[in-house]
Amino acid sequence: MSDAIKHECGIAMIRLRKPAQYYIDKYGTAAFASNRLYVLMQKQINRGQDGAGVANVKIDTKPGTRYISRYRSIEPSAVNYIFDKINRKYKKAKKIGGHDALTDGNWLKENTAFTGEVWLGHLRYGTHGENSIETCHPFLKQNNWRSRNLVMAGNFNMTNVEELFDKLVQLGQHPKEKTDTVTVMEKIGHFLDEENQRIFDKYKHQYSNEQITQVIEDELDMARILRRSCRDFDGGYAMAGIVGNGSSFVVRDPSGIRPAYYYADDEVIVVASEKPAIKSAFNIDFNSIKEIQPGHALVINKDGSYDESEIMPAREKMSCSFERIYFSRGTDPNIYQERKNLGKALIPQILKAIDFDLKNTVFSYIPNTAETAFLGMIEGLEDYLAAKRREVFVDGKPHMGDLDELLNFRPRVEKLVSKDVKLRTFITNDDDRDSIVANVYDTTYEVIKSGIDTLVVIDDSIVRGTTLEKSILTTLDKLKPKRIIIVSSAPQIRFPDCYGIDMSKMKEFIAFRAALALLKERKIENTLDQVYESCVAAPYSTENFVKGVYNAFTDDEISAKISEIVTNEDIKAEVQVIYQTVENLHKCCPDHLGDWYFTGNYPTTGGMRVVNKSFVNYMEGKTVRAY
């Protein structure tokens, strides 16, 4: 999207189900798992570029042997940096153990880090707070008992961190931070400890302590631990963890907000946030990749057996539709088709906006991620023209224009805008900065009929409208078109997200700014006070009071006001902004109905509290996030 926002995170997990020697013999490398994890993470780099981390756990090591290894980085190319360090471990092993060291699986496991059976990778987008190595996943909770160690990474945001923190305090803990990552890990860690103690108490009169350690590792019930841990969570999450004994899990929230997919065969079990990453890393059929169901956890036991267990009762599936519109890679065949359908669904609105004058209209897209929706839009125009030809040549309907022109006409398609990534906007004052921002995008000249043509440019989504206002429209206006129509393949973003996307402040949304302007114009600004009073009077309400800000206006009225706001006084062309309808969004992405940022219909009670608090923050002039 032209308004860049930080979003999501990516997880990747690999569990080897055979001894290390198997992969060396079959694939000719001791780095089979490392290489596959590298591909998994690189293919999900779109999900996080602020940092990365990798952890590895060895199963059944001898006491005194290091069995958990971890690297994290906030370097510009963090994934490459980490795997370069891991590869140096293999080079060092060859230097120490000789040429045959890299072909001896047992020797490598005993003498070299990052040669274990369980791998966990994470890609981070920092949605808030500092970006330091301490904020990078995976996190590690350490203990001298192997089965009490916990490594965790996730793609999640919790809306009830305060409540979770208080529960930890009530349990007698002293958490070092009040963040969702720490509270979640400590919560799961607490019940992991209790599970260890339960099994210990069960067998303490039958075995020695040393023997009980092995019994605990074999009998550890991860599904039970997760059921007890997750019952208080409110948010969107796909959380992955490894216990020190080698057991591992990936658990998904009951509404399926955050994505998680897996593939299993007799060699590996692999999990990732996106299906194409698994496809690329293991060259398997897309149909072999399964989705972890909402409210379920994929639990992989120490012995390599696995099961998908219900952890929380699943609610109505409300997986994030932004994954389909923009976040996930479009190489997923389903996502690719959905994005094309989103572009195609806009055709009736576009034709109406251009008065059906295709002859004097040029179609384009920005940014590159909108290309697939653009292809769908062009397909939709071709379908429209085919239907018109059918009416004339088959049904015999009269046609006023030239028949040869009707037969041969194609929509005018041009690459009009591209981003000049070399431009930077630092070390300058605010006035100068705006001038530079206006030139971040470059354009293709001499393809537009000055004062005659209409430009139709499709975008994935318009969040803040800042880039549109300060850069894109200025760039397009240099071509001297008669009209500029910006088309969003997503509906109007009206409400904050609290499940992992960095959209938490009401005042940043161009749709909210438009509603405020309309309230002022119509002298009904008291609506804001009424909504504010409702939010303050019932802070724990499960009703979204902020919907009242928009109730007096139609979608078209909001869009028209947005068109005015983003059009600065220097723009000569007439500007119109068109948005996808929520109805069409659901038709195009029928299995991914999470639309709270468009409709305000949050899937959890915490989401309702967040939106009301976000509005209160706006009214009170607070610029902090609401969760």
Side-chain angles (χ1 to χ4, degrees):
M1 63 184 63
S2 55
D3 281 328
I5 61 172
K6 292 184 176 181
H7 61 88
E8 308 302 312
C9 283
I11 57 174
M13 178 183 281
I14 294 176
R15 170 60 155 93
L16 299 179
R17 305 183 78 187
K18 302 282 189 181
Q21 196 63 46
Y22 173 89
Y23 305 95
I24 294 173
D25 295 342
K26 181 172 180 178
Y27 297 101
T29 175
F32 169 80
S34 174
N35 291 341
R36 298 310 188 274
L37 188 70
Y38 174 74
V39 174
L40 282 176
M41 294 179 71
Q42 283 289 11
K43 290 299 182 180
Q44 297 183 101
I45 203 71
N46 52 298
R47 305 189 70 84
Q49 296 167 27
D50 289 337
V54 169
N56 178 246
V57 173
K58 300 177 182 179
I59 299 175
D60 283 335
T61 56
K62 297 176 182 178
T65 305
R66 184 175 178 179
Y67 57 94
I68 299 178
S69 302
R70 177 181 60 158
Y71 281 149
R72 297 180 293 174
S73 173
I74 54 171
E75 294 293 320
S77 299
V79 174
N80 286 338
Y81 177 83
I82 288 170
F83 281 92
D84 282 346
K85 290 186 71 175
I86 292 173
N87 287 336
R88 285 200 290 271
K89 293 290 185 182
Y90 296 109
K91 292 178 181 177
K92 184 178 179 181
K94 183 178 179 181
K95 185 176 181 181
I96 294 173
H99 179 75
D100 294 336
L102 295 184
T103 61
D104 188 337
N106 291 330
W107 187 92
L108 283 169
K109 184 174 177 179
E110 290 177 7
N111 296 278
T112 307
F114 292 98
T115 56
E117 294 87 344
V118 197
W119 294 75
L120 177 59
H122 185 265
L123 297 142
R124 179 178 187 268
Y125 256 131
T127 54
H128 59 273
E130 65 176 340
N131 187 38
S132 65
I133 198 164
E134 286 77 19
T135 59
C136 284
H137 302 202
F139 284 80
L140 179 58
K141 187 175 187 292
Q142 293 179 294
N143 194 285
N144 242 14
W145 284 52
R146 193 160 55 184
S147 55
R148 290 176 185 251
N149 284 275
L150 179 62
V151 184
M152 276 197 66
N155 169 15
F156 63 92
N157 262 20
M158 296 299 169
T159 67
N160 62 334
V161 175
E162 293 279 351
E163 177 188 344
L164 295 174
F165 182 87
D166 290 342
K167 285 184 178 294
L168 290 175
V169 173
Q170 291 165 15
L171 289 169
Q173 293 192 21
H174 190 90
K176 61 183 180 180
E177 290 181 60
K178 192 181 287 188
T179 62
D180 52 5
T181 305
V182 170
T183 51
V184 164
M185 185 167 191
E186 293 298 337
K187 189 93 181 317
I188 295 175
H190 170 78
F191 288 108
L192 175 62
D193 287 342
E194 283 204 349
E195 177 70 4
N196 272 264
Q197 191 64 45
R198 181 185 70 84
I199 301 172
F200 178 86
D201 291 340
K202 179 180 176 181
Y203 293 107
K204 64 183 178 182
H205 298 301
Q206 300 180 41
Y207 302 105
S208 68
N209 285 357
E210 187 176 353
Q211 290 172 324
I212 289 178
T213 296
Q214 188 63 49
V215 174
I216 290 172
E217 292 192 5
D218 293 337
E219 289 198 10
L220 208 62
D221 189 342
M222 281 309 309
R224 183 174 188 272
I225 294 167
L226 293 171
R227 289 187 190 103
R228 301 182 72 198
S229 305
C230 297
R231 58 191 174 196
D232 298 318
F233 293 168
D234 187 298
Y237 53 86
M239 296 183 293
I242 311 173
V243 179
N245 72 326
S247 299
S248 55
F249 64 87
V250 179
V251 60
R252 197 172 178 210
D253 65 85
S255 298
I257 295 170
R258 299 273 68 90
Y261 301 91
Y262 76 97
Y263 165 77
D265 60 25
D266 61 346
E267 292 185 359
V268 296
I269 302 170
V270 55
V271 182
S273 296
E274 298 187 26
K275 292 169 71 174
I278 301 175
K279 165 70 175 177
S280 297
F282 291 88
N283 192 29
I284 56 173
D285 189 275
F286 259 103
N287 295 327
S288 301
I289 304 170
K290 299 179 182 179
E291 181 178 9
I292 298 176
Q293 293 305 302
H296 286 62
L298 179 69
V299 175
I300 307 170
N301 300 310
K302 177 185 174 182
D303 63 3
S305 60
Y306 70 96
D307 188 30
E308 190 174 349
S309 303
E310 182 181 84
I311 303 303
M312 298 284 288
R315 297 192 285 262
E316 179 185 4
K317 189 181 179 186
M318 296 287 280
S319 48
C320 176
S321 59
F322 253 129
E323 290 280 355
R324 322 303 287 186
I325 298 167
Y326 170 71
F327 293 149
S328 293
R329 282 180 177 256
T331 48
D332 183 307
N334 294 326
I335 293 176
Y336 182 78
Q337 190 57 53
E338 287 166 7
R339 289 181 184 173
K340 288 183 72 173
N341 291 342
L342 286 167
K344 196 175 292 189
L346 287 158
I347 293 303
Q349 291 168 266
I350 293 171
L351 290 173
K352 181 180 178 182
I354 65 174
D355 298 321
F356 295 85
D357 182 12
L358 290 173
K359 184 177 180 180
N360 297 307
T361 302
V362 176
F363 296 89
S364 193
Y365 61 91
I366 185 171
N368 288 341
T369 51
E371 183 178 8
T372 307
F374 171 77
L375 294 175
M377 180 177 69
I378 299 305
E379 277 190 15
L381 291 172
E382 294 282 10
D383 291 345
Y384 166 77
L385 290 169
K388 284 296 178 185
R389 296 185 189 106
R390 192 179 302 110
E391 288 178 358
V392 173
F393 295 109
V394 178
D395 300 337
K397 288 189 177 181
H399 178 68
M400 300 295 291
D402 183 80
L403 290 179
D404 284 338
E405 183 180 17
L406 175 64
L407 187 63
N408 297 310
F409 183 82
R410 294 290 182 272
R412 296 171 61 194
V413 174
E414 302 288 353
K415 176 71 172 178
L416 292 179
V417 182
S418 58
K419 194 168 186 178
D420 192 338
V421 296
K422 297 183 293 296
L423 288 173
R424 295 292 184 267
T425 57
F426 47 79
I427 316 179
T428 181
N429 60 45
D430 289 343
D431 292 338
D432 224 17
R433 187 179 187 280
D434 286 347
S435 175
I436 295 176
V437 167
N439 290 284
V440 167
Y441 288 91
D442 204 355
T443 190
T444 305
Y445 293 96
E446 306 301 329
V447 295
I448 301 301
K449 292 178 289 185
S450 177
I452 297 174
D453 282 342
T454 294
L455 306 186
V456 175
V457 180
I458 191 168
D459 194 350
D460 307 285
S461 182
I462 303 167
V463 185
R464 304 178 185 96
T466 308
T467 307
L468 188 60
E469 178 182 359
K470 295 183 179 295
S471 184
I472 295 173
L473 287 174
T474 300
T475 300
L476 292 173
D477 196 56
K478 292 177 182 178
L479 300 174
K480 299 181 181 180
K482 180 180 179 181
R483 301 173 66 204
I484 302 172
I485 299 174
I486 303 295
V487 184
S488 170
S489 65
Q492 297 167 4
I493 297 172
R494 299 182 172 192
F495 304 95
D497 184 78
C498 53
Y499 303 124
I501 304 172
D502 188 19
M503 300 190 304
S504 59
K505 299 170 186 174
M506 294 290 303
K507 71 173 186 177
E508 294 183 348
F509 304 138
I510 188 70
F512 183 70
R513 290 163 56 196
L516 295 180
L518 289 170
L519 290 170
K520 184 176 181 179
E521 280 182 11
R522 301 185 187 182
K523 295 180 171 51
I524 52 174
E525 289 176 283
N526 63 317
T527 298
L528 298 176
D529 295 324
Q530 293 169 1
V531 172
Y532 174 72
E533 289 170 4
S534 297
C535 292
V536 171
Y540 298 103
S541 173
T542 57
E543 179 181 351
N544 181 353
F545 298 116
V546 185
K547 289 183 179 182
V549 174
Y550 300 96
N551 285 344
F553 317 116
T554 65
D555 292 353
D556 288 343
E557 288 173 326
I558 297 286
S559 294
K561 182 53 65 176
I562 289 172
S563 303
E564 292 179 24
I565 292 173
V566 298
T567 308
N568 66 55
E569 59 185 15
D570 296 325
I571 301 294
K572 303 295 189 297
E574 177 189 341
V575 175
Q576 183 178 356
V577 179
I578 294 173
Y579 284 88
Q580 187 74 262
T581 66
V582 173
E583 181 183 8
N584 279 342
L585 172 68
H586 290 169
K587 288 179 180 177
C588 296
C589 309
D591 298 323
H592 302 270
L593 302 178
D595 62 3
W596 49 91
Y597 15 68
F598 309 128
T599 65
N601 299 327
Y602 291 82
T604 75
T605 55
M608 296 296 187
R609 292 197 297 269
V610 166
V611 66
N612 291 333
K613 186 177 180 181
S614 181
F615 182 77
V616 169
N617 287 345
Y618 164 76
M619 292 293 287
E620 295 179 354
K622 298 177 181 177
T623 57
V624 297
R625 65 190 183 102
Y627 56 92

